[in-house]
Amino acid sequence: MSEDHVHRVQPAWKKNALIDNDTYLKWYTDSVKNPDKFWGKHGKRIDWFKPYSKVKNTAFDGKVSIKWFEDGETNVSWNCIDRHLKKRGDQTAIIWEGDNPYDDRKITYNELYAHVCRLANVMKKHGVKKGDRVTIYMPMIPETAYAMLACTRIGAIHSVVFGGFSPDALAGRIDDCKSTFVITADEGLRGGKPIPLKDNTDKAIEIAANAGTKVEKVVVVRRTGGKTGWVAGRDVWYHDEVATVKAECKPEKMKAEDPLFILYTSGSTGKPKGVLHTTAGYLVYVSMTHQYVFDYHDGDIYWCTADVGWVTGHSYIVYGPLANGATTLMFEGVPNYPSQSRFWEVIDKHKVNIFYTAPTALRALMGAGDSHVTKTSRKSLRVLGTVGEPINPEAWEWYFNVVGNGKVPIVDTWWQTETGGILITPLPGATDLKAGSATRPFFGVKPQLVDGDGKVLEGVASGSLCITDSWPGQMRTVYGDHERFVQTYFSTYKGKYFTGDGCRRDADGYYWITGRVDDVINVSGHRMGTAEVESALVSHEKVSEAAVVGYPHDIKGQGIYCYVTLMAGEKPDEELRKELVAHVRKDIGAIATPDKIQFAPGLPKTRSGKIMRRILRKIAEDDFAALGDTSTLADPAVVDDLVANRQNKR
Ligand code: WTA
């Protein structure tokens, strides 16, 4: 192996592993040589009401059409619950660990069945039908999983909106998919602090109504008992409603390509896109990756620390694990509350075997000192995982040596909201590891590196990461805007899915994701379109123009750096800086909080008026010695001012 930080597969990892290296190589070759045969076989890992006869029917060119198992019929909640009841009805499906360490619950598969059926019946009673969109704006509590599964049971399409988003952001998502049914909670609870979900929902409903979408029903889960507003006739309590309906509800027979859920995600332009995933291919793919990537064995306790508001929560807290009959842990809190040991204490408390988290959390915990980790046992751990952003080798080695005591494999899993499930990843019993590399493609995944002109790069190379053929978990369209789907993902490089990520391939064929090559930044593992932050800034009355870029941040991976030009006559001062920060938080949510705001009398533009972001990125990185050619600028002098007033002086 050609790089530093190589960690070979240890005998203990191989011993009971589902996949060893020979199997990986054989299956991978089979999967890309004959995808129909490979997926035709693995599609049977889920149950079908009507078996499929066609497997793959996909085209990445022309209008772009992606269909898997298209003539089959199945149901997601039926696969995640009903089929397990005979064998594991009394097994825990969900371990819930509350924000407060004394607050926890276990829900068996039998109980899950009853909860989901009841909520499905409540939805039906209020007129929700197959194909309707249901918005879920919830904290990390079991009812959130019930809500998702209840939607899938009756064929409604859920749109889960992360609880950290503002009323404006929630309203935009309600309106985009014309969702008239909302499920929320009175308040969320994180790190001891309440989050006013119902109040935010009330505000969002008003904004959405002005935009033309009238929400008819709001189901409210009582989480904290905090005081909230109430609109009679529109708002109903979850606990009242579920008490009046039956605990049985027949699962709707869904076609393989019927929509399953919409999840909004940031891109390089415009407002967030509604990524649409469909029923069968998604479930096959997330259950298969959950099993093999985490080397999941029956009886394992599995914990993914993501929020269900993001795709990682959808695929690897709810759907993948439950499809496999796993015990999945759902954590309401944060890594550093009540102490910096919380993650490791929860691992010991519930004897967690598989732990999946984000590099940003690891970096923060690493900074807090090893003693918070070493005072816990972590003996139950067998597999560790990371997701969401590149992991720096230092954080990787710390995770490996301190958290895993040098004995537990790390799977660095690369994927996206759009991909539905993990595409590039080690397999614990098969793949020699390199700290910082997502290593090799999963079965059926064909990565390719291309240069700026679209030329395919072979061997050792760096370029834009594309995927040249479809896999079952792939998104099918942008909800309500197929043209945008084609434009965004298949037009940069004709006939290929363009990921937006830069990537290097080394001499061993390992992939190293280097980060986004478009105007998306990754803040603490959360995707943020710079265009969204810019549009929030310019919506402030004192702002005339704004440009936003990312810069390297020790904990968050990337920080948000904003250049702001004010309207004539406005005075740049601390007061206004605070006001702008608050304004962006209100518009999008706390995850978009600007780290740096630089007031700039002018932005560097080409003579045709295009903002030269390359220069802005360099200045934000305090790397202005390498500004490159600025002679094409309309007014080269603006750069001197930007450099002199930069906010990141080293
Ligand atoms: C980044 C999260 C490096 C990448 C599942 C991608 C990663 C974006 C990794 C998707 C990883 C995700 N190594 N970068 N292991 N995993 N990313 O849609 O830039 O929230 O394009 O999906 O996160 O973010 P999203």
Side-chain angles (χ1 to χ4, degrees):
M1 297 232 123
S2 58
E3 311 260 340
D4 290 330
H5 297 290
V6 174
H7 295 271
R8 296 199 180 270
V9 176
Q10 298 178 5
W13 307 350
K14 248 189 288 203
K15 204 161 156 242
N16 291 313
L18 299 169
I19 308 276
D20 61 14
N21 197 42
D22 291 341
T23 312
Y24 167 77
L25 294 172
K26 177 166 186 326
W27 285 26
Y28 183 73
T29 310
D30 291 349
S31 71
V32 292
K33 262 201 194 139
N34 194 341
D36 269 293
K37 185 162 167 227
F38 183 83
W39 291 111
K41 177 171 160 222
H42 290 285
K44 300 200 178 102
R45 60 179 299 119
I46 66 168
D47 287 354
W48 298 81
F49 293 124
K50 174 171 170 260
Y52 49 89
S53 67
K54 289 190 218 161
V55 177
K56 180 174 187 284
N57 179 7
T58 66
F60 277 9
D61 43 21
K63 291 204 171 80
V64 183
S65 158
I66 298 156
K67 292 183 180 146
W68 285 89
F69 312 111
E70 61 189 286
D71 58 348
E73 285 177 12
T74 183
N75 178 286
V76 168
S77 92
W78 177 65
N79 268 287
C80 289
I81 309 171
D82 306 39
R83 67 168 173 159
H84 305 314
L85 295 182
K86 217 160 146 197
K87 191 170 155 210
R88 52 177 103 245
D90 291 326
Q91 181 203 302
T92 301
I94 300 175
I95 299 176
W96 178 72
E97 169 77 14
D99 187 55
N100 178 328
Y102 296 104
D103 219 359
D104 57 21
R105 256 195 277 169
K106 288 186 175 151
I107 296 102
T108 66
Y109 274 96
N110 279 329
E111 289 163 348
L112 182 64
Y113 174 83
H115 288 301
V116 169
C117 286
R118 282 184 193 277
L119 185 52
N121 284 329
V122 169
M123 291 166 64
K124 272 185 161 170
K125 182 184 108 184
H126 290 294
V128 178
K129 289 188 297 295
K130 186 169 167 172
D132 288 353
R133 278 80 53 215
V134 171
T135 298
I136 300 176
Y137 183 63
M138 291 276 273
M140 287 288 287
I141 54 178
E143 287 79 1
T144 310
Y146 307 162
M148 295 163 76
L149 289 162
C151 287
T152 74
R153 196 154 191 96
I154 64 172
I157 307 168
H158 63 68
S159 160
V160 181
V161 178
F162 174 57
F165 277 121
S166 68
D168 282 292
L170 173 59
R173 286 154 174 79
I174 288 175
D175 181 51
D176 184 82
C177 67
K178 307 278 171 253
S179 161
T180 60
F181 195 93
V182 177
I183 305 176
T184 189
D186 50 0
E187 294 178 316
L189 198 58
R190 271 165 65 87
K193 289 194 217 69
I195 298 154
L197 296 175
K198 173 64 165 61
D199 285 352
N200 287 352
T201 302
D202 290 345
K203 287 183 199 144
I205 288 175
E206 222 170 278
I207 304 167
N210 290 331
T213 301
K214 184 164 180 283
V215 170
E216 308 282 351
K217 232 357 90 264
V218 182
V219 176
V220 187
V221 177
R222 181 176 281 156
R223 166 64 189 99
T224 63
K227 233 172 103 71
T228 69
W230 201 260
V231 176
R234 186 197 72 186
D235 300 346
V236 292
W237 284 110
Y238 171 91
H239 56 263
D240 286 342
E241 293 289 309
V242 294
T244 65
V245 292
K246 278 197 315 206
E248 257 165 42
C249 172
K250 229 172 111 196
E252 192 79 24
K253 289 196 170 106
M254 304 298 289
K255 295 205 177 74
E257 286 299 336
D258 279 339
L260 179 64
F261 65 81
I262 301 167
L263 188 54
Y264 286 88
T265 193
S266 298
S268 46
T269 55
K271 44 179 194 148
K273 295 180 285 284
V275 167
L276 184 81
H277 284 288
T278 57
T279 300
Y282 172 82
L283 194 65
V284 167
Y285 196 75
V286 295
S287 79
M288 182 151 166
T289 45
H290 173 261
Q291 182 180 7
Y292 293 127
V293 172
F294 300 106
D295 195 42
Y296 176 80
H297 287 68
D298 226 13
D300 279 344
I301 309 290
Y302 164 90
W303 179 18
C304 164
T305 69
D307 191 287
V308 282
W310 309 110
V311 74
T312 308
H314 283 59
S315 301
Y316 299 112
I317 294 177
V318 179
Y319 293 121
L322 295 178
N324 292 339
T327 298
T328 181
L329 194 151
M330 192 174 193
F331 176 45
E332 186 183 38
V334 294
N336 57 0
Y337 176 87
S339 83
Q340 302 279 359
S341 297
R342 187 70 193 275
F343 272 0
W344 327 119
E345 283 165 1
V346 173
I347 288 171
D348 286 351
K349 175 176 173 188
H350 297 292
K351 306 276 177 294
V352 170
N353 305 112
I354 303 166
F355 178 68
Y356 189 32
T357 194
T360 188
L362 295 172
R363 285 193 297 265
L365 295 170
M366 180 169 80
D370 294 2
S371 62
H372 299 289
V373 187
T374 51
K375 72 180 208 205
T376 61
S377 152
R378 291 154 286 112
K379 218 174 61 208
S380 53
L381 287 175
R382 205 167 45 74
V383 176
L384 296 170
T386 73
V387 59
E389 51 178 325
I391 179 163
N392 45 315
E394 299 71 38
W396 196 103
E397 293 289 349
W398 182 82
Y399 198 22
F400 186 77
N401 290 309
V402 180
V403 176
N405 282 331
K407 290 194 220 139
V408 182
I410 298 177
V411 290
D412 173 357
T413 63
W414 174 83
W415 60 295
Q416 312 177 294
T417 306
E418 293 88 338
T419 70
I422 295 162
L423 294 198
I424 302 183
T425 179
L427 302 181
T431 316
D432 289 333
L433 305 171
K434 296 186 191 183
S437 172
T439 76
R440 306 185 291 194
F442 190 73
F443 307 123
V445 175
K446 291 168 80 175
Q448 191 177 69
L449 301 183
V450 294
D451 70 10
D453 303 322
K455 197 174 113 233
V456 175
L457 305 170
E458 307 287 351
V460 176
S462 284
S464 292
L465 177 63
C466 293
I467 313 289
T468 60
D469 200 359
S470 184
W471 62 97
Q474 182 172 25
M475 78 183 279
R476 302 303 197 252
T477 192
V478 170
Y479 185 77
D481 196 349
H482 193 69
E483 185 48 37
R484 190 169 175 203
F485 175 60
V486 178
Q487 269 304 319
T488 308
Y489 302 105
F490 300 91
S491 69
T492 317
Y493 304 105
K494 277 241 156 327
K496 297 169 198 190
Y497 169 75
F498 173 46
T499 64
D501 278 322
C503 182
R504 178 166 69 85
R505 186 172 45 222
D506 72 15
D508 297 307
Y510 275 36
Y511 291 86
W512 301 70
I513 308 295
T514 50
R516 303 287 302 197
V517 293
D518 53 8
D519 291 322
V520 171
I521 55 182
N522 195 321
V523 185
S524 301
H526 300 324
R527 250 168 93 165
M528 198 76 257
T530 52
E532 281 169 70
V533 184
E534 287 164 7
S535 107
L537 285 166
V538 296
S539 73
H540 189 282
E541 54 181 17
K542 294 183 183 163
V543 174
S544 108
E545 198 168 32
V548 172
V549 297
Y551 70 94
H553 187 289
D554 284 349
I555 305 288
K556 299 183 186 181
Q558 280 188 297
I560 303 179
Y561 195 113
C562 312
Y563 295 89
V564 173
T565 305
L566 297 176
M567 295 288 187
E570 296 299 343
K571 204 163 107 296
D573 57 16
E574 258 337 283
E575 199 63 21
L576 182 54
R577 193 174 262 133
K578 281 195 198 125
E579 199 175 309
L580 293 179
V581 169
H583 183 76
V584 173
R585 287 173 64 105
K586 180 185 163 292
D587 202 57
I588 303 175
I591 56 166
T593 307
D595 293 283
K596 307 274 175 185
I597 293 186
Q598 173 170 359
F599 292 111
L603 296 174
K605 291 186 187 161
T606 60
R607 286 185 200 112
S608 59
K610 201 167 160 325
I611 293 178
M612 293 192 66
R613 295 171 167 280
R614 178 178 55 83
I615 292 177
L616 294 176
R617 269 186 222 115
K618 289 284 177 201
I619 296 173
E621 288 165 16
D622 197 17
D623 186 17
F624 51 89
L627 282 186
D629 186 13
T630 56
S631 63
T632 55
L633 288 176
D635 178 9
V638 299
V639 173
D640 299 335
D641 177 84
L642 290 173
V643 168
N645 293 302
R646 67 192 188 279
Q647 303 288 303
N648 269 337
K649 289 193 188 134
R650 271 195 277 236

